[in-house]
Amino acid sequence: MKKIITILSFVVGLTSLTGCSDYLDSDYLFDERMTIEDVFSNRDYTNRWLARGYSYLSNGYLQDVCSKRNYPFNFADDMYYGDGGYKEWKSGQYSESGVNNSSSGIWKNAYLGIRQVSIFLNNIDKNKEFSEEEITDFKGQAHFLRAYYYWLMLRAFGPIPIIPDEGVDYTQEYDELAFPRNSYDECVDYITSELLKAAGRLPLERAVQDVARPTRGAALALRARVLLYAASPLFNGKAPEMVSSALINKDGKRLLPETYDESKWAKAAAAAKDVMELGVYDVHVAYLNTNTGDIAYPATITPPSGNEFSDESWPNGWKNIDPFQSYRELFDGSILVSQNEELIFTRGNNQSGESIGIMVVHQLPRNGAGGYGSQGMTQKQCDAYYMNDGTDCPGMNDMYKGVAGYQGRYDSRPREEGYVTESELADYPELGPLGIGVSKQYVKREPRFYASVGYNGSTWHLLNALKDNDHNEEKNIQVFYYRGGNNGYVNSSYWLQTGIGIKKYVHPNDISYTQKNSYDVSRIEKKPDPAIRYAEILLIYAEALNELTGAYDIPSWDGSKMHPVKRDVVEMKKGIRPIRIRAGLPDFDKVRGHEAAYDDANEFRMMLKRERQIELFAEGHRYWDLRRWLDAPVEETTPVYGCNMLATKEMADQFHTPVMCTALPTIFAEKMWLCPIDHAELKHNINLVQNPGWTNPE
């Protein structure tokens, strides 16, 4: 039995050591009676073991982008679900187990994944059926997975216990198995060291059949993200006293750094530079579509003229690209993972129980599209998108005028009035031929707006609509959310509480049939989850450079060179310009009122945060960004606003005047900085300390 003794998760067996052997036999060894030697002398069993190591990444609790309930993905200030756990998350009405046991689910499944791949690393060399090159690649994958699981825990809980790589002997005394939490910096050092091991073993590119396996770029990109968080205020000596003073181990060890270290930003910038210099990734673009007349695939949404990017072809300008389709097809399943040069790491086509496909079903309108119509966007997020010339929309964030923290982030002009008439359609080609009756608040916005926002009166294409004995569906329908209409307010869980929907991830073909088949994804195009993409790396680079006041020399990932790192406008533009060009927008310093954006670190920081809010919307970043920036107490306590869903079509002006959505609560408490540790875990491990604001078991 000693040959099966390896990593032991905190979540199994520690309260009853007598049950360990049964658990190890049944779970570790595919429910078959065999030894570690049996598994790692057989090619098929070894492959299956590693496959199980991957399987935890697809668990609903460990997704980066997913549907709802299991994970705090939809619970920041940008989006919401009208049902299923939103109220509990946003109002803090959940226990130490989290909503639907999310906290225990993250903790348990991450450690199970860590245990699985750690056993693999400790035993893969025994298998003589693989070549040396195959074993090297396998080890790189396992190191990446172990780092990813630890990262998901670090992001959710803050400092966590790092288990010895060599494993632990479950026959030890109980107290010897109770590992305390490592400090945040120790966790970062361990995770990044694992990622460097992975990068040194993984290939630069994968064959088509292996696109969901990590590459060198994936390891280096995750490293850049981890280092960015480590440099951010919450984890870099600027945490609120209530947080830092609570995160102290029982032996007095402080878990968060006490002083600010600017060099951490330099390390994050250099890590992003490592990815950029691989020369493997680029911002994805779709070139101009000359096939005009297709309502679902318009020729283009024309960017502003007279700009430095207007007459240049990609990558120096937008002359020959379609910004709208470039952004839309990144997420809607139009392009294969193997053809997406921006996608650095993905779990593949995420179609599990809490999948992106299920999320899209909740985005689709109830009537006409057969969805649940309950996942929506806040007015704050809708206002964040720029006008087509890069300026703010009139009235942007006017509901927060005078609120602390919103200085310089609202527009005092009145919101646009009036509605598009048939004679005006030619003036607003971005709306398509079905734009009659659309509020002029929604015209002439930037291309990412139309790829992401299901505004009142927008067109849902539904190209897979059926006309048969069971279906009476139509293609290309205009959807309004006025009260009394087919998709307006109803007295149930399934309605769009802000009157602003979400189109990101929705393919023109997508349609559902939930009236007869719950969670029907049969006609939803498969979507690869964008776990890490190149645009994020560019934004990491720009953000990190902006925070520097000194100059640093940081070694590259493999030590082959030194990166000179300082706040350099030319370098910062390398992070911003590709994203702005792809979006069909001028650079920051070419926008009225922001001419000094690159010269003023505070101004640039504000614009960078907004760019992440727009570009990375609905990709699992916003919730965590608000916390690492220390912005959550402001952003998550301001009321959620949206359209007045009690207004009928005859009251269109009232409908489009933002009102507070009282059914969508907003608070931020001390306990919401980090996820709670489940009482069961605290009972299993006497050396664990609880996160701030949460209770310990009696």
Side-chain angles (χ1 to χ4, degrees), residues 221-272:
L222 181 58
R223 176 172 172 260
R225 182 189 289 178
V226 173
L227 290 173
L228 178 78
Y229 275 62
S232 299
L234 181 60
F235 305 114
N236 190 10
K238 296 185 178 182
E241 174 62 23
M242 66 181 70
V243 175
S244 59
S245 62
L247 288 173
I248 300 176
N249 275 347
K250 293 180 179 179
D251 63 359
K253 178 179 179 178
R254 297 188 70 91
L255 301 181
L256 293 184
E258 296 183 74
T259 56
Y260 174 70
D261 182 356
E262 183 183 278
S263 70
K264 291 180 178 180
W265 289 109
K267 292 175 182 177

Side-chain angles (χ1 to χ4, degrees), residues 327-364:
Y327 190 75
R328 180 173 73 169
E329 71 180 23
L330 264 177
F331 311 102
D332 70 4
S334 291
I335 53 176
L336 298 174
V337 171
S338 59
Q339 298 173 348
N340 188 341
E341 69 274 34
E342 186 167 339
L343 201 53
I344 298 177
F345 180 65
T346 178
R347 292 165 172 78
N349 290 327
N350 177 348
Q351 293 293 314
S352 67
E354 294 294 334
S355 70
I356 297 175
I358 297 296
M359 182 174 74
V360 168
V361 171
H362 286 82
Q363 293 172 221
L364 292 172

Side-chain angles (χ1 to χ4, degrees), residues 108-123:
K108 174 182 177 179
N109 285 284
Y111 271 124
L112 287 173
I114 290 165
R115 183 186 64 179
Q116 187 77 14
V117 296
S118 295
I119 293 172
F120 184 90
L121 283 166
N122 289 335
N123 291 278

Side-chain angles (χ1 to χ4, degrees), residues 632-649:
V634 171
E635 302 291 357
E636 298 229 58
T637 56
T638 51
V640 171
Y641 281 81
C643 298
N644 185 347
M645 293 297 289
L646 298 180
T648 64
K649 185 176 181 179

Side-chain angles (χ1 to χ4, degrees), residues 416-419 437-439 441-442 456 480 482-483 643-644 646-658:
E416 292 289 346
E417 298 179 349
Y419 305 88
V438 170
S439 168
Q441 292 184 33
Y442 304 137
N456 190 42
F480 288 96
Y482 294 118
R483 183 173 185 174
C643 298
N644 185 347
L646 298 180
T648 64
K649 185 176 181 179
E650 292 70 31
M651 304 163 64
D653 288 349
Q654 290 94 318
F655 180 93
H656 292 100
T657 300

